[in-house]
Amino acid sequence: MKRVMKLTFTAIPKNDSILPPLSSKVVKFAIESGSFIPSLKPLVDSRAPNKPIFISNLSLGKKRLIKLGDTDEPIKVKAGDKLTFHISAPFYEKVLLELEDKTIGTPYGEFRFVFENMEVVEKGRAVKEDENFVIEFLSPTLFSSKVLLPPSLGEKYKKVNPGYSSLPSVGLIVAYGYSIYYSLLGSSDSKYVWRRFKLSVLANAFSKVVGYKLTPLTVNLGKDSKDRVRLARGFMGWLEFDIVNEKLKKLVSMILFYSNYLGMGKSRGVGLGEVKVYGKKP
């Protein structure tokens, strides 16, 4: 299992700026240009599914700067605002030499990136044996129920697009968590999709939802190549559940530990699916 690093920064705009609908794209552009943490550029550029990287949206105070709905109101920040963000990815030693503060030009203005903190983890568990799981969905999360389809039916229904679900099941959460966990193993295994399917079925069968507060919402993903606004339906909020099978609970606890760093669901590379997973006494 690869070690995972979480890098925290402050971004300071040089001038008043208008940010993209997903403000994480300021950071993503800086990495793609090769000007900021170049060791991460191949991972950001990769088109591989479930790649192990998370780039958070910029935050002003505790507010994540994300455009919701089909509104024309832009996201504005002022010169000198202290915006925070973090990046999580597999640990690369070269990154230690790339954390110097620097000013970088982007299509959204110039920003001063200031390194604040690094956390490196290798193994852990999200909850203790006598605790429930609590998942806080901190940014809009996009789950497709299609990941629960038996692999034997994948080709038959390949062209079916069910969209995104605004009410996640425990099985759906575990399936997405396992996809991230598997990506950290750095191996290729044809049985991966079958294991994910089996885990999702078992998680649904042996779980009980204790409480939840989830809010469906529409997130603005920006414009496509034809200048059309792309919208997606996701959700935010929290969910508390337990898994009554001891062996399965330990496995799920290990899997979801990594979601604290790498998120969950679609578009984690632009800050969607940011989650916090922790334990709570029943």
Side-chain angles (χ1 to χ4, degrees):
M1 176 62 69
K2 296 178 180 178
R3 288 182 289 172
V4 175
M5 61 181 180
K6 179 180 179 180
L7 309 172
T8 303
F9 296 86
T10 297
I12 305 171
K14 183 177 180 180
N15 301 297
D16 293 357
S17 301
I18 295 178
L19 301 181
L22 296 176
S23 59
S24 55
K25 291 187 177 181
V26 173
V27 182
K28 185 181 180 185
F29 175 87
I31 296 174
E32 289 176 330
S33 70
S35 303
F36 183 56
I37 319 182
S39 291
L40 294 181
K41 178 175 167 57
L43 187 56
V44 170
D45 289 345
S46 170
R47 300 185 66 85
N50 303 313
K51 58 187 181 182
I53 186 166
F54 179 86
I55 302 173
S56 79
N57 285 282
L58 303 178
S59 295
L60 183 58
K62 294 184 178 181
K63 181 181 180 182
R64 288 160 180 75
L65 302 179
I66 301 171
K67 193 172 183 179
L68 300 177
D70 190 14
T71 175
D72 293 328
E73 185 66 26
I75 301 175
K76 299 178 181 179
V77 292
K78 297 179 180 179
D81 278 347
K82 292 187 177 181
L83 313 173
T84 58
F85 69 92
H86 66 269
I87 303 168
S88 294
F91 175 74
Y92 298 102
E93 288 190 2
K94 288 183 179 180
V95 167
L96 298 173
L97 304 175
E98 301 171 348
L99 298 176
E100 70 275 9
D101 301 349
K102 59 172 55 180
T103 299
I104 298 174
T106 77
Y108 318 103
E110 285 191 354
F111 291 81
R112 180 73 175 171
F113 291 135
V114 180
F115 172 68
E116 301 290 353
N117 184 56
M118 170 187 267
E119 179 184 1
V120 179
V121 298
E122 185 170 9
K123 293 181 180 180
R125 296 190 186 277
V127 306
K128 298 178 181 178
E129 294 179 8
D130 60 346
E131 294 177 329
N132 289 340
F133 292 84
V134 178
I135 301 185
E136 294 183 18
F137 300 94
L138 303 175
S139 69
T141 302
L142 306 181
F143 278 179
S144 170
S145 56
K146 197 171 181 181
V147 302
L148 300 179
L149 196 67
S152 58
L153 298 178
E155 188 64 28
K156 182 177 180 180
Y157 295 106
K158 182 170 62 175
K159 295 183 179 180
V160 176
N161 180 13
Y164 298 114
S165 173
S166 57
L167 186 61
S169 66
V170 175
L172 200 52
I173 289 168
V174 171
Y176 273 109
Y178 181 71
S179 294
I180 297 306
Y181 173 79
Y182 181 78
S183 71
L184 287 170
L185 295 177
S187 60
S188 179
D189 186 344
S190 60
K191 295 181 180 180
Y192 149 70
V193 291
W194 278 107
R195 284 198 297 268
R196 184 180 68 180
F197 173 69
K198 180 181 177 180
L199 276 173
S200 66
V201 172
L202 290 174
N204 275 335
F206 295 122
S207 64
K208 57 179 180 180
V209 174
V210 178
Y212 62 91
K213 185 177 181 181
L214 299 169
T215 302
L217 45 78
T218 300
V219 59
N220 188 317
L221 303 178
K223 294 184 178 181
D224 62 15
S225 59
K226 296 183 179 180
D227 205 37
R228 298 174 299 192
V229 174
R230 297 182 300 138
L231 301 174
R233 194 70 169 162
F235 64 90
M236 292 176 63
W238 59 269
L239 179 75
E240 180 180 350
F241 66 92
D242 192 22
I243 292 179
V244 299
N245 180 279
E246 182 179 346
K247 183 178 180 181
L248 180 62
K249 183 173 184 175
K250 287 182 179 179
L251 178 58
V252 171
S253 180
M254 180 178 64
I255 289 170
L256 296 186
F257 170 79
Y258 297 98
S259 296
N260 277 313
Y261 298 91
L262 295 167
M264 190 177 286
K266 300 283 188 178
S267 299
R268 294 172 298 99
V270 286
L272 299 185
E274 181 181 356
V275 301
K276 181 180 179 182
V277 187
Y278 56 92
K280 178 182 177 182
K281 294 284 187 179

